[in-house]
């Protein structure tokens, strides 16, 4: 009489200890040619705060970045989000064909107080040269690992010109160009175009079209509205930071024309066939 309950208990225990189904059978011997790195852009920000408060914001709030560059002496980077994961640093953003750049970018925050309003106007805080030196080292490393295109290192204001100012007019973009990281308008080409634009300034629609060609999200209305001024101002803070009032002037037109016009390729000399004369 005791054998039947024992057999039933054994069957019950065996049923509970089911073997999990096997995982998918994967073959890793093949790879597709049509693929690319997820990371297309690097976006540079400033924190508008000091290092302790920046750490707190970027680690406990709803915003984040992959890297935080301190203002300590010497400065160094906190790695806050692994590059394989998305950080929430770009927000509503656009550049060329990409929208919502969080998913396709690496975000770098630089500790910097940003700006303050004064009776004389808005005053921006400079960046420490030691911070820029560290930034260039990191940018070179990221560019090499992810094969970032030279035109894809941008400021937060480039991708969100209607709501962001960072990294501002004191960020030294020219140093990044000198380090071979970003393209830069050749001064001689700008100077060559300037007289023509001084003689006749293009219509607003020309500026809007050229800015869109460069990558900005800008209205195409032909009207110099505030949204268009904001984009022109952002462009000026990068390439002509001495004056960034958003006015479409001749110098801005010359710079914009150069950065949106590729350098003509040098003609390739024709190959000449060498004729050897054999002695008789």
């Amino acid at each position: 009489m005791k054998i039947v309950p024992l057999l039933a208990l054994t069957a019950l225990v065996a049923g509970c200890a089911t073997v999990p189904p096997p995982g998918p059978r994967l073959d890793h011997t093949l790879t597709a040619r049509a693929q690319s790195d997820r990371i297309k852009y690097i976006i540079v920000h400033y924190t508008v705060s000091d290092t302790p408060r920046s750490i707190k914001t970027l680690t406990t709030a709803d915003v984040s970045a992959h890297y935080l560059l301190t203002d300590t002496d010497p400065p160094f980077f906190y790695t806050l989000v692994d590059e394989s994961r998305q950080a929430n640093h770009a927000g509503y953003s656009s550049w060329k064909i990409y929208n919502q750049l969080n998913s396709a970018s690496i975000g770098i925050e630089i500790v910097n107080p940003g700006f303050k309003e004064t009776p004389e106007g808005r005053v921006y805080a400079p960046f420490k040269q030691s911070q820029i030196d560290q930034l260039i080292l990191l940018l070179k490393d990221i560019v090499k690992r992810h094969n970032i295109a030279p035109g894809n290192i941008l400021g937060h204001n480039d991708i969100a010109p209607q709501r962001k100012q960072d990294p501002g007019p004191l960020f030294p973009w020219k140093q990044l160009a000198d380090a071979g990281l970003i393209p830069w308008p050749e001064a001689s080409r700008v100077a060559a175009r300037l007289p023509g634009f001084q003689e006749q300034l293009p219509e607003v629609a020309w500026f809007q079209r050229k800015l869109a060609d460069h990558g900005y999200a800008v209205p195409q209305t032909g009207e110099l509205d505030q949204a268009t001024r904001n984009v022109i101002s952002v462009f000026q803070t990068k390439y002509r930071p001495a004056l960034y009032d958003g006015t479409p002037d001749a110098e801005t037109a010359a710079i914009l024309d150069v950065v949106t016009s590729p350098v003509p390729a040098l003609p390739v000399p024709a190959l000449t066939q060498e004729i050897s004369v054999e002695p008789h």
Side-chain angles (χ1 to χ4, degrees):
M1 295 296 294
K2 294 181 180 181
I3 295 177
V4 175
L6 180 59
L7 292 175
L9 179 61
T10 302
L12 179 62
V13 173
C16 293
T18 56
V19 178
R25 298 175 61 187
L26 304 177
D27 186 328
H28 298 284
T29 59
L30 304 177
T31 185
R33 179 182 63 83
Q35 60 178 294
S36 62
D37 199 310
R38 180 189 69 82
I39 303 300
K40 308 294 185 189
Y41 295 94
I42 303 173
I43 311 301
V44 180
H45 310 252
Y46 60 41
T47 63
V48 197
S49 189
D50 57 20
T51 292
R53 285 181 291 181
S54 298
I55 292 172
K56 182 177 181 181
T57 299
L58 292 170
T59 58
T60 64
D62 293 332
V63 295
S64 57
H66 294 90
Y67 297 96
L68 172 64
L69 178 56
T70 70
D71 62 350
T72 54
D73 188 18
F76 62 93
F77 290 97
Y78 284 105
T79 57
L80 304 180
V81 177
D82 189 86
E83 289 182 8
S84 65
R85 299 180 63 82
Q86 176 177 303
N88 298 325
H89 63 94
Y92 181 76
S93 52
S94 176
W95 187 259
K96 295 186 177 178
I97 65 172
Y98 283 87
N99 293 312
Q100 309 299 337
L101 269 75
N102 277 336
S103 62
S105 65
I106 288 176
I108 301 175
E109 290 274 3
I110 305 173
V111 173
N112 178 282
F115 64 84
K116 61 180 179 180
E117 303 290 357
T118 73
E120 291 75 31
R122 182 172 292 180
V123 177
Y124 283 83
F127 294 85
K128 293 181 178 180
Q129 185 57 49
S130 55
Q131 288 179 306
I132 303 304
D133 293 340
Q134 282 293 304
L135 177 65
I136 288 174
L137 291 175
L138 178 63
L139 289 175
K140 287 183 175 181
D141 177 61
I142 296 173
V143 165
K144 182 177 180 180
R145 287 187 287 103
H146 293 286
N147 195 28
I148 303 294
N152 289 359
I153 300 176
L154 304 166
H156 199 183
N157 53 359
D158 287 318
I159 63 173
Q162 305 304 330
R163 61 187 185 88
K164 292 296 180 179
Q165 297 82 33
D166 57 313
L170 295 187
F171 182 79
W173 288 105
K174 183 61 166 60
Q175 286 194 44
L176 272 59
D178 293 341
L181 289 164
I182 64 171
W184 198 256
E186 186 179 337
S188 62
R189 295 181 68 208
V190 174
R193 284 167 167 75
L194 185 58
F197 290 119
Q198 289 173 330
E199 183 176 340
Q200 183 171 356
L201 191 67
E203 298 290 334
V204 172
W206 180 92
F207 282 90
Q208 292 175 330
R209 186 175 65 255
K210 285 283 191 176
L211 288 165
D213 289 344
H214 190 48
Y216 292 102
V218 59
Q220 299 296 309
T221 60
E223 301 294 330
L224 187 58
D225 50 26
Q226 189 57 52
T228 300
R229 282 186 172 274
N230 290 343
V231 178
I232 293 173
S233 177
V234 167
F235 179 83
Q236 291 168 336
T237 62
K238 177 176 286 187
Y239 298 108
R240 208 271 307 274
L243 180 61
Y244 51 92
D245 61 357
T247 300
D249 56 31
E251 186 179 22
T252 302
I255 297 170
L256 183 56
D257 196 37
V258 169
V259 299
T260 54
S261 303
V263 179
L266 295 175
V268 179
L271 296 177
T272 58
Q273 183 178 2
E274 293 185 1
I275 301 176
S276 60
V277 179
E278 295 292 334
H280 294 290

